[in-house]
Amino acid sequence: MNTKRLSDSMEQALSKQMNVELFQSHTYLSYGIWANDLGYGGIGNFLMRHSKEERDHAIKFMQYIMNRGGKPTIEAVPAPSADPQNLTECFNSVFKHEVDNTEKIYRLVELAFEQKDWATWNFLQWFVKEQIEEETLAMELIDKLKIAGGDRASDESLFALDKDLETAPDDAELARDATSEKP
Ligand code: FEO
């Protein structure tokens, strides 16, 4: 008896997204190595922690497909793009990666809606929320670097930024959790 509870096209689309998340993980790992190599151990640590989060996202897609009776397919992961030229380019690229990923998640949500696949639609809502956090986190990175002086930041302010990111929380605060005491 066929117990698969996903359409073939949805199974393929979710599997493709699992591979996209693995690519994101690869990209952040390569940025982490790049930052470490330049001596930014805290920034490198932050990016490598993020690489692990992206792998966790891939695992969620993998597990969901299997739970619904499908079979995900691991594909070759493309090589990450060339190293950034500087921290501004690195953080801008992190933001762009997240926005691209959000658009991919939205397309999956649309597909689930079209197919009236409410289980998948519901599963994907976790990722809709997660992408708000990830985009916010990326914007905060850009802001922190800007405050530090951007490409003209002094060694002292870059040292402070590096220290800050070593211990910065991995999740951004969401508007829905804000209160008047803690906006
Ligand atoms: Fe898994 Fe940063 O999106």
Side-chain angles (χ1 to χ4, degrees):
M1 184 181 177
N2 181 10
T3 56
K4 194 165 82 172
R5 301 285 291 129
L6 292 170
S7 69
D8 288 348
S9 58
M10 182 57 84
E11 179 186 28
Q12 278 163 20
L14 293 171
S15 186
K16 190 159 172 261
Q17 185 62 29
M18 173 189 71
N19 285 285
V20 167
E21 301 287 350
L22 289 173
F23 171 67
Q24 297 272 68
S25 175
H26 249 49
T27 299
Y28 287 127
L29 198 57
S30 83
Y31 285 3
I33 292 169
W34 169 80
N36 256 289
D37 187 53
L38 289 180
Y40 297 123
I43 296 170
N45 187 287
F46 177 88
L47 291 162
M48 286 181 185
R49 292 196 317 267
H50 206 81
S51 166
K52 187 194 156 297
E53 269 201 34
E54 297 296 350
R55 185 179 161 80
D56 289 345
H57 294 169
I59 296 294
K60 287 182 199 301
F61 278 102
M62 176 199 82
Q63 194 59 55
Y64 178 74
I65 297 165
M66 294 197 296
N67 284 355
R68 302 298 287 159
K71 185 170 182 286
T73 306
I74 296 289
E75 293 164 12
V77 184
S81 49
D83 282 346
Q85 294 294 312
N86 49 47
L87 285 174
T88 303
E89 196 181 307
C90 175
F91 292 173
N92 285 347
S93 173
V94 166
F95 180 68
K96 190 174 169 304
H97 268 274
E98 290 307 333
V99 172
D100 284 350
N101 205 42
T102 300
E103 283 165 8
K104 289 185 170 71
I105 297 288
Y106 286 176
R107 284 203 286 278
L108 286 172
V109 173
E110 273 170 25
L111 185 66
F113 192 88
E114 280 163 23
Q115 297 190 359
K116 296 189 171 41
D117 178 349
W118 306 124
T120 300
W121 189 89
N122 182 262
F123 167 73
L124 289 169
Q125 293 312 303
W126 186 89
F127 284 93
V128 172
K129 175 171 171 276
E130 179 69 6
Q131 285 308 120
I132 302 173
E133 280 188 33
E134 304 244 301
E135 286 183 7
T136 306
L137 204 61
M139 284 178 215
E140 285 173 4
L141 280 183
I142 292 171
D143 286 347
K144 279 180 183 182
L145 182 59
K146 227 182 266 171
I147 292 166
D151 289 334
R152 293 184 306 282
S154 65
D155 288 346
E156 286 84 356
S157 51
L158 286 177
F159 182 77
L161 176 68
D162 189 58
K163 276 260 154 282
D164 177 54
L165 286 178
E166 176 121 49
T167 52
D170 293 324
D171 298 313
E173 304 243 344
L174 287 174
R176 69 184 71 176
D177 299 322
T179 60
S180 22
E181 288 82 26
K182 200 170 167 291

